[in-house]
Amino acid sequence: VALTALQLFSLARAGDVAALGRLLSRIESGADDLRVTLAEIYRSGGRAHIVGITGVPGSGKSSLVSRLVQAARAGSAKVAVLAIDPSSSLSGGALLGDRTRMSDLDAHVFIRSMATRGATGGLASAALGAVDALDACGYELVFIETVGVGQDEIEIAGACHTTVVVSAPGLGDQVQSLKAGLLEIADVHVVSKCDRPDGAHTLSDLTALMALRDRRGAWRAPVIATSAQTGQGIEELLRALREHRAVQRSSELGPLRERRIAEYRAWKSAEELLRQRLAAARNEALAELVDRMARREMDPLAAAESLLALCARKGA
Amino acid sequence: VALTALQLFSLARAGDVAALGRLLSRIESGADDLRVTLAEIYRSGGRAHIVGITGVPGSGKSSLVSRLVQAARAGSAKVAVLAIDPSSSLSGGALLGDRTRMSDLDAHVFIRSMATRGATGGLASAALGAVDALDACGYELVFIETVGVGQDEIEIAGACHTTVVVSAPGLGDQVQSLKAGLLEIADVHVVSKCDRPDGAHTLSDLTALMALRDRRGAWRAPVIATSAQTGQGIEELLRALREHRAVQRSSELGPLRERRIAEYRAWKSAEELLRQRLAAARNEALAELVDRMARREMDPLAAAESLLALCARKGA
């Protein structure tokens, strides 16, 4: 007998990791019976520290996250990683590589990749819904790793409590992140691969650039030099993540960020909902509107108003 | 005294070209008082032959269109050109270059560039609204020229009665258009710059590629070799455009295309309308929804449903 999403969620909350995996698959594919479950998941969450990790391809995000997971586990936190890579729906399995072994060896580490946009086309909602589920299931630290390319991916990384932007030597230095609009969203900067001889150069460039920027209220984004090879800077980065969360909790920054994330999610969900409803309306009322437009009895904006009114009435 | 958009439209229909220019500026900037005028414009249109011309940058679209305008004028049609180039809001003036001189010398040629996305962010609706105005003002042949890069630009070119895709030698041959998703939307293929020695190669590649494709009902997209330098193929292209329209008028292709265009426009307008209304809702109801979400009393999808219901009720 197939379990409902709500049943899977109950099992997952009780510690059934296989059920959690199946729940995330349903969220990813946009299954039909999710509405109530997603609402329940969202209401049950709100305790995890959600950390977005982004950076241009090749900046070493995956190795960095693996190191962070190890360090956080040494501090005995329950840790989850959601790696978003919509470009690699074919090579999706390979992305995780040796990281899946990490979760095989440790019941308190959950690692998952999301490689498709889901049935409904809503990558951001699916990804953040999956993070909600990890949060509700008691993971205290949830990393969401996205390639910093594409509007959705950048937005997802920004819709977290703490956003880490990773730069690496040998990629045209910080200019690449700057161009991609990533620097703006960083709460913490990381220069990865600092074991390389050109690491110092990237580090000083980025530090100089950040020195020009204004402090954001009670927090100024630090620039942290790391190396996944040697382990340099990993503990410092983990401390910075926790410090950022502590500053948020004790200042106006926390509520501000919560509201910004909530606003983004409401907005994104509304866009996706409209797209779904418009798609459903195609075969029905749209045909009549289109006929009237073709006869020039109705103009495009009037047709659009009718469509929106129709979509608002459609019950979920 | 400033004229209303409706007054400008009345003047433009009576042949006042300066009024037409001002009307298009208002449409481009998404002025507030346009709602009634756009509906009136749309209802008054439906007679022009709208021809979309697209192709990758450097394919010679502008020179081709200039030649086409000259040839159409020799046949005494009233001709308009709308050149869309959102990337060049700075160099917008330069784009038209010597083409504006053409309209200076001939009252039955109207040439205009649209270089911005407009205040409402709706490039497609603004561009197609401008085309409606040209149609309603009696221009019999309206060219809308877009760079075949970016979803909006490709869609605009496809939302016409006849879509011309321009390929040129020396740009990686037809593969570039193929990659950009342009070949699918072509009713007529043009290989431009055929005075160049490598023109024959591009032409035979494209012809071979098209021979593999299915005929679309009563019409098979021809491949026409042109040269803006020598004038080669321009008359043939103009005949192909008229033949395509004649085939549409005497077959199921015409009504099918009208409906496809109407559907696209209703859809696009609905998306833009929602975006506007969501933006307007930001300061009002959104704040309350966001508060409830931050308190976990409401989940993102429930907030989205409230937003959509709110946006549907909002009177225009």
Side-chain angles (χ1 to χ4, degrees), chain A residues 35 39 42-43 259 262-263 267 269-270 273-274 278 282 286 290-291 293 296 298-302 304-305 312 316, chain B residues 35 39 42-43 45 259 262-263 267 269-270 273-274 278 282 290-291 293 296 298-302 304-305 312 316:
Chain A
R35 183 69 195 85
Y42 187 82
R43 275 195 296 269
R259 294 170 59 94
E263 190 173 318
W267 182 277
S269 293
L273 198 58
L274 180 77
L278 282 178
R282 264 182 184 278
L286 189 56
V290 160
D291 277 341
M293 279 178 69
R296 303 264 157 186
M298 190 175 228
D299 68 293
L301 203 54
E305 280 164 355
Chain B
R35 183 70 196 84
Y42 188 82
R43 277 196 295 270
R259 292 170 60 94
E263 192 173 315
W267 182 277
S269 292
L273 198 59
L274 181 76
L278 282 179
R282 265 184 184 275
V290 160
D291 276 341
M293 280 178 68
R296 303 266 158 182
M298 190 175 227
D299 68 294
L301 203 54
E305 279 163 356

Side-chain angles (χ1 to χ4, degrees), chain B:
Chain B
V1 180
L3 295 173
T4 65
L6 205 53
Q7 288 169 325
L8 288 173
F9 178 48
S10 295
L11 291 171
R13 289 188 85 179
D16 182 337
V17 174
L20 176 56
R22 288 171 63 193
L23 177 62
L24 295 191
S25 296
R26 298 230 186 140
I27 292 174
E28 185 176 10
S29 66
D32 278 342
D33 65 340
L34 280 174
R35 183 70 196 84
V36 172
T37 309
L38 284 175
E40 182 61 26
I41 287 171
Y42 188 82
R43 277 196 295 270
S44 315
R47 278 177 308 279
H49 181 193
I50 317 289
V51 177
I53 311 250
T54 193
V56 296
S59 56
K61 295 176 295 295
S62 304
S63 308
L64 182 75
V65 170
S66 294
R67 283 288 199 167
L68 275 172
V69 170
Q70 288 167 347
R73 280 299 297 137
S76 84
K78 266 187 88 175
V79 185
V81 178
L82 186 71
I84 310 290
D85 187 5
S87 63
S88 74
S89 54
L90 291 175
S91 64
L95 171 77
L96 293 178
D98 56 358
R99 292 201 281 176
T100 47
R101 281 199 293 279
M102 208 187 303
S103 57
D104 287 346
L105 296 171
D106 184 341
H108 288 133
V109 173
F110 185 89
I111 298 183
R112 169 90 182 196
S113 78
M114 194 173 263
T116 68
R117 292 192 168 267
T120 56
L123 175 67
S125 288
L128 294 170
V131 168
D132 286 342
L134 295 166
D135 176 356
C137 289
Y139 290 91
E140 297 154 271
L141 186 56
V142 178
F143 294 105
I144 179 163
E145 179 190 324
T146 71
V147 178
V149 181
Q151 197 53 41
D152 262 1
E153 287 76 4
I154 292 170
E155 285 175 3
I156 293 169
C160 297
H161 300 121
T162 305
T163 303
V164 178
V165 173
V166 184
S167 305
L171 296 176
D173 295 349
Q174 85 287 357
V175 180
Q176 217 167 338
S177 292
L178 184 65
K179 273 189 188 165
L182 292 178
L183 288 195
E184 305 299 331
I185 62 169
D187 300 302
V188 176
H189 288 283
V190 164
V191 177
S192 64
K193 306 183 186 175
C194 279
D195 50 295
R196 287 174 47 144
D198 48 353
H201 183 64
T202 304
L203 190 63
S204 67
D205 272 8
L206 188 59
T207 306
L209 188 68
M210 295 316 297
L212 298 173
R213 306 234 157 181
D214 289 337
R215 195 181 166 88
R216 272 191 209 166
W219 181 256
R220 174 168 216 136
V223 180
I224 299 177
T226 67
S227 163
Q229 287 274 320
T230 68
Q232 178 198 346
I234 302 297
E235 285 294 339
E236 185 188 352
L237 173 55
L238 198 58
R239 275 197 307 276
L241 299 180
R242 287 178 172 146
E243 195 189 336
H244 181 245
R245 190 69 182 138
V247 167
Q248 284 183 329
R249 290 222 152 105
S250 64
S251 75
E252 83 289 359
L253 290 181
L256 274 177
R257 179 67 72 104
E258 294 285 358
R259 292 170 60 94
R260 202 190 76 194
I261 296 170
E263 192 173 315
Y264 167 74
R265 295 193 61 180
W267 182 277
K268 203 77 197 171
S269 292
E271 279 186 352
E272 287 169 7
L273 198 59
L274 181 76
R275 210 172 299 128
Q276 287 168 27
R277 288 178 177 179
L278 282 179
R282 265 184 184 275
N283 303 320
E284 303 166 24
L286 189 56
E288 196 204 318
L289 296 176
V290 160
D291 276 341
R292 295 188 59 195
M293 280 178 68
R295 289 196 303 266
R296 303 266 158 182
E297 293 167 13
M298 190 175 227
D299 68 294
L301 203 54
E305 279 163 356
S306 298
L307 271 178
L308 282 193
L310 185 84
C311 290
R313 278 202 306 274
K314 277 214 151 184

